[in-house]
Amino acid sequence: MRYELCASQDLPEGQSRAMKAGDTKLVVYHLSDGFYATQARCSHMFVSLGKGKILKDQCVQCPLHRAKFDIRTGAVTEWANFPPGVQILNVVRGEKALETWPVTEEGGQLYVEI
Ligand code: FES
């Protein structure tokens, strides 16, 4: 199903924003080559990625344990590694990619297909 998100000019390049599409919470990102959407919460311990840091390699870094995900695919590029010792938790919270959805821009509006 297709949902309208916001005006594309309201999400400048290099920024992201937590949004909702129907019942689905997501984070929408504006990268140099377009717009992308991932699930709203980190797959490690479910912290909001809305406050995640967008890195130069087009990954988002979780603010809690610093897992990194490829925004375009949701793939894990580095699993939770902070603070030292969190690796013990990782025994039960193994690597898991983020769900992603395609975002399109039409007439100055952003849409996501869920
Ligand atoms: S909650 Fe995101 S890395 Fe732990």
Side-chain angles (χ1 to χ4, degrees), residues 17-113:
R17 188 190 306 169
M19 298 188 196
K20 223 173 157 190
D23 293 333
T24 304
K25 293 178 179 173
L26 42 83
V27 177
V28 180
Y29 308 83
H30 188 176
L31 302 184
S32 58
D33 64 348
F35 296 89
Y36 298 86
T38 70
Q39 67 184 62
R41 297 206 171 262
C42 179
S43 55
H44 183 236
M45 292 295 287
F46 314 114
V47 164
S48 173
L49 292 172
K51 292 191 179 7
K53 188 173 172 184
I54 299 176
L55 305 172
K56 286 195 169 81
D57 57 1
Q58 313 298 332
C59 289
V60 60
Q61 183 178 46
C62 175
L64 189 58
H65 305 118
R66 301 183 185 173
K68 295 180 192 171
F69 303 91
D70 185 319
I71 291 168
R72 295 182 178 103
T73 65
V76 174
T77 58
E78 194 174 319
W79 198 227
N81 61 16
F82 181 86
V86 76
Q87 290 79 3
I88 293 167
L89 178 63
N90 294 348
V91 173
V92 291
R93 298 298 307 169
E95 285 190 24
K96 187 175 181 197
L98 299 178
E99 193 167 1
T100 61
W101 300 280
V103 177
T104 52
E105 182 181 17
E106 283 178 40
Q109 293 291 315
L110 298 181
Y111 299 87
V112 65
E113 192 77 36

